[in-house]
Coordinates of all heavy atoms in Angstrom, one line a residue:
E217 N 29.9 117.8 -183.9 CA 29.9 117.1 -185.2 C 28.8 116.1 -185.3 O 28.1 115.9 -186.3 CB 31.3 116.5 -185.4 CG 32.4 117.5 -185.6 CD 33.7 116.9 -185.6 OE1 33.9 115.9 -184.9 OE2 34.6 117.4 -186.3
M218 N 28.5 115.4 -184.2 CA 27.4 114.4 -184.2 C 26.1 115.1 -184.4 O 25.2 114.5 -185.1 CB 27.5 113.5 -182.9 CG 28.6 112.5 -182.9 SD 28.6 111.4 -181.5 CE 29.3 112.4 -180.2
L219 N 25.9 116.2 -183.8 CA 24.7 117.0 -183.9 C 24.5 117.4 -185.4 O 23.4 117.4 -185.9 CB 24.6 118.1 -183.0 CG 24.4 117.8 -181.5 CD1 24.6 119.0 -180.6 CD2 22.9 117.3 -181.3
R220 N 25.6 117.9 -186.0 CA 25.5 118.3 -187.4 C 25.1 117.1 -188.3 O 24.3 117.3 -189.3 CB 26.8 118.9 -187.8 CG 27.1 120.3 -187.1 CD 28.5 120.9 -187.6 NE 28.8 122.1 -186.9 CZ 28.3 123.3 -187.3 NH1 27.6 123.4 -188.4 NH2 28.7 124.4 -186.7
I221 N 25.7 116.0 -188.1 CA 25.4 114.8 -188.8 C 23.9 114.4 -188.6 O 23.2 114.1 -189.6 CB 26.3 113.6 -188.5 CG1 27.7 113.9 -188.9 CG2 25.8 112.3 -189.1 CD1 28.7 112.9 -188.4
T222 N 23.4 114.6 -187.4 CA 22.0 114.3 -187.1 C 21.1 115.2 -187.9 O 20.1 114.7 -188.5 CB 21.8 114.4 -185.6 OG1 22.6 113.5 -184.9 CG2 20.3 114.1 -185.3
A223 N 21.4 116.5 -187.9 CA 20.6 117.4 -188.7 C 20.6 117.1 -190.2 O 19.6 117.2 -190.8 CB 21.2 118.9 -188.4
R224 N 21.8 116.7 -190.7 CA 21.8 116.4 -192.1 C 21.0 115.2 -192.4 O 20.3 115.1 -193.4 CB 23.3 116.2 -192.5 CG 23.4 115.9 -194.0 CD 24.9 116.0 -194.5 NE 25.6 114.8 -194.0 CZ 26.6 114.9 -193.1 NH1 26.9 116.0 -192.5 NH2 27.2 113.8 -192.7
L225 N 21.0 114.1 -191.6 CA 20.3 112.9 -191.8 C 18.8 113.2 -191.7 O 18.0 112.5 -192.4 CB 20.7 111.8 -190.8 CG 22.1 111.3 -191.0 CD1 22.4 110.3 -189.9 CD2 22.2 110.6 -192.4
L226 N 18.4 114.1 -190.9 CA 17.0 114.5 -190.7 C 16.5 115.4 -191.8 O 15.3 115.7 -191.8 CB 16.7 115.1 -189.3 CG 16.9 114.1 -188.1 CD1 16.7 114.9 -186.8 CD2 15.9 113.0 -188.2
G227 N 17.4 116.0 -192.6 CA 17.1 116.9 -193.6 C 16.7 118.3 -193.0 O 15.8 119.0 -193.6
L228 N 17.3 118.7 -191.9 CA 17.0 119.9 -191.3 C 18.2 120.9 -191.3 O 19.3 120.5 -191.1 CB 16.6 119.7 -189.8 CG 15.3 118.8 -189.6 CD1 15.1 118.4 -188.1 CD2 14.1 119.4 -190.1
R229 N 17.9 122.2 -191.5 CA 18.9 123.2 -191.5 C 19.0 123.8 -190.1 O 18.0 124.3 -189.6 CB 18.7 124.3 -192.5 CG 18.7 123.8 -194.0 CD 18.4 124.9 -194.9 NE 19.5 125.9 -194.9 CZ 19.6 127.0 -195.6 NH1 18.6 127.3 -196.4 NH2 20.6 127.8 -195.4
R230 N 20.1 123.6 -189.5 CA 20.3 124.1 -188.1 C 21.6 124.9 -188.0 O 22.6 124.7 -188.7 CB 20.3 123.0 -187.1 CG 19.0 122.2 -187.0 CD 17.9 123.0 -186.4 NE 16.7 122.3 -186.2 CZ 15.6 122.4 -187.0 NH1 15.7 123.2 -188.1 NH2 14.5 121.8 -186.8

Side-chain angles (χ1 to χ4, degrees):
E217 289 170 330
M218 287 188 278
L219 287 168
R220 290 181 181 275
I221 293 172
T222 303
R224 185 170 68 251
L225 291 176
L226 292 175
L228 299 172
R229 298 182 62 183
R230 295 292 184 257

